[in-house]
Amino acid sequence: MIVKQIWTGNAFRNFNYLIACADTGQALAIDPLDYKKCLSVAKENGWTITQILNTHEHRDHTGGNRAMIAATGAKLLAHQNAKDSIADIDIGLAAGDVVNVGKTVELLVLDTPGHTMTHVCLLSQTDEPALFSGDTLFNAGAGNCHNGGHPQELYHTFATQLSRLQDNTRIYPGHDYIGNNLEFTLAREPDNEQAKTLLNQVKKQDPAKALVSTLAMEKHINTFFRLQNPTIIAKLQRQFPDMDEDPSPEQVFLKLRELRNKW
Ligand SMILES: [Zn+2]
Ligand SMILES: [Zn+2]
């Protein structure tokens, strides 16, 4: 499996992706908003884009569909319940489906509600695990729930799906928000030395050559995976005296999500 992370350089800081089969040169484009960049990367590498996958229905993920389909004739894949919110879906996806790219790439579909209620993530099956996480999981952060999402659902997705993936899973999110997210982690957990070190490192990074984290790393630097951390809990309890003495991971997650909205 060949993965190209494509930095759009737009105001929303979107990442687009091409996933290609080394044997056949067939490629899947994930959320190809910047279809021109995606097409030129495919051309440079001699790949044929045969499929487009939208992780969810937001315009900064679907906005390149029409032009990409016109240029390539690729089939469009998205959550099976997104037919009213995404035009021209050819294949509706459900949890457990497998998306094949050429002969060598198999991607498992995860149904991951929370950021929106029709959001899928893809998990590679054939190589070192890699998760294409759209706006559900960001480097050092979690998606917001402002536009059609539900924080409880997002918690459930984190607790029952994402946190159970293998530690060596590489994380490929839909946006470059790592700097801001690490600042939030440090605001909630000022003694997180790993987050401090990483923040210094990514401040200088070119998003076109962005660091790719792993789930193991996220568990150290992403506050939304650190729901039992004593510093985080104590700080929340000082700020919200009505919080339980021994809050559940869900309560902690929801408070953090709420704070991040206004942060
Ligand atoms: Zn979104
Ligand atoms: Zn987005």
Side-chain angles (χ1 to χ4, degrees):
M1 180 177 75
I2 308 167
V3 177
K4 284 271 185 230
Q5 183 177 56
I6 297 166
W7 166 239
T8 61
N10 69 353
F12 301 114
R13 309 189 69 79
N14 288 83
F15 283 130
N16 299 171
Y17 294 92
L18 291 182
I19 301 175
C21 166
D23 275 19
T24 65
Q26 289 181 320
L28 166 80
I30 300 183
D31 296 338
L33 176 67
D34 195 335
Y35 61 92
K36 287 183 185 159
K37 267 189 196 165
C38 292
L39 284 168
S40 85
V41 171
K43 196 171 170 200
E44 273 162 34
N45 288 279
W47 298 338
T48 311
I49 296 172
T50 55
Q51 299 176 93
I52 299 166
L53 180 134
N54 288 149
T55 55
H56 65 294
E57 68 272 30
H58 288 157
R59 196 66 197 148
D60 59 311
H61 297 256
T62 61
N65 289 356
R66 187 163 297 173
M68 183 60 99
I69 291 168
T72 61
K75 295 275 177 256
L76 177 61
L77 288 65
H79 194 289
Q80 60 179 357
N81 297 338
K83 292 199 166 148
D84 293 336
S85 50
I86 300 177
D88 305 323
I89 296 177
D90 294 297
I91 301 169
L93 301 171
D97 287 352
V98 173
V99 175
N100 291 289
V101 184
K103 281 194 264 176
T104 58
V105 181
E106 283 180 17
L107 302 160
L108 178 68
V109 174
L110 310 181
D111 187 346
T112 52
H115 173 65
T116 74
M117 297 309 286
T118 51
H119 191 299
V120 292
C121 295
L122 289 177
L123 179 66
S124 70
Q125 301 289 284
T126 36
D127 272 276
E128 210 180 299
L131 181 76
F132 300 89
S133 59
D135 288 2
T136 298
L137 169 63
F138 295 125
N139 296 128
N144 68 49
C145 307
H146 304 318
N147 299 298
H150 286 293
Q152 282 90 351
E153 294 285 346
L154 189 63
Y155 166 71
H156 197 70
T157 291
F158 267 67
T160 62
Q161 299 194 70
L162 303 183
S163 64
R164 294 181 187 172
L165 299 177
Q166 286 181 46
D167 270 347
N168 63 343
T169 306
R170 286 169 294 156
I171 308 299
Y172 292 103
H175 293 263
D176 172 45
Y177 292 157
I178 191 167
N180 271 347
N181 284 339
L182 285 169
E183 304 259 16
F184 182 69
T185 290
L186 286 166
R188 302 319 310 173
E189 192 191 345
D191 56 355
N192 188 326
E193 294 302 325
Q194 201 168 331
K196 260 183 235 173
T197 307
L198 191 62
L199 180 58
N200 282 329
Q201 196 185 323
V202 301
K203 266 182 183 163
K204 291 169 244 150
Q205 95 171 353
D206 173 1
K209 294 177 200 137
L211 167 124
V212 176
S213 73
T214 61
L215 190 68
M217 189 193 283
E218 293 297 332
K219 285 179 176 172
H220 283 108
I221 55 133
N222 188 328
T223 196
F224 294 94
F225 282 122
R226 299 175 65 71
L227 308 174
Q228 277 151 335
N229 178 271
T231 306
I232 293 175
I233 293 174
K235 202 160 188 243
L236 285 175
Q237 284 167 330
R238 281 198 298 278
Q239 201 169 349
F240 303 98
D242 60 330
M243 208 169 184
D244 292 356
E245 199 177 317
D246 187 15
S248 69
E250 180 170 6
Q251 267 183 303
V252 175
F253 186 98
L254 295 177
K255 271 290 178 234
L256 291 170
R257 188 52 268 171
E258 197 185 311
L259 287 166
R260 182 67 177 79
N261 292 342
K262 290 172 247 148
W263 186 78

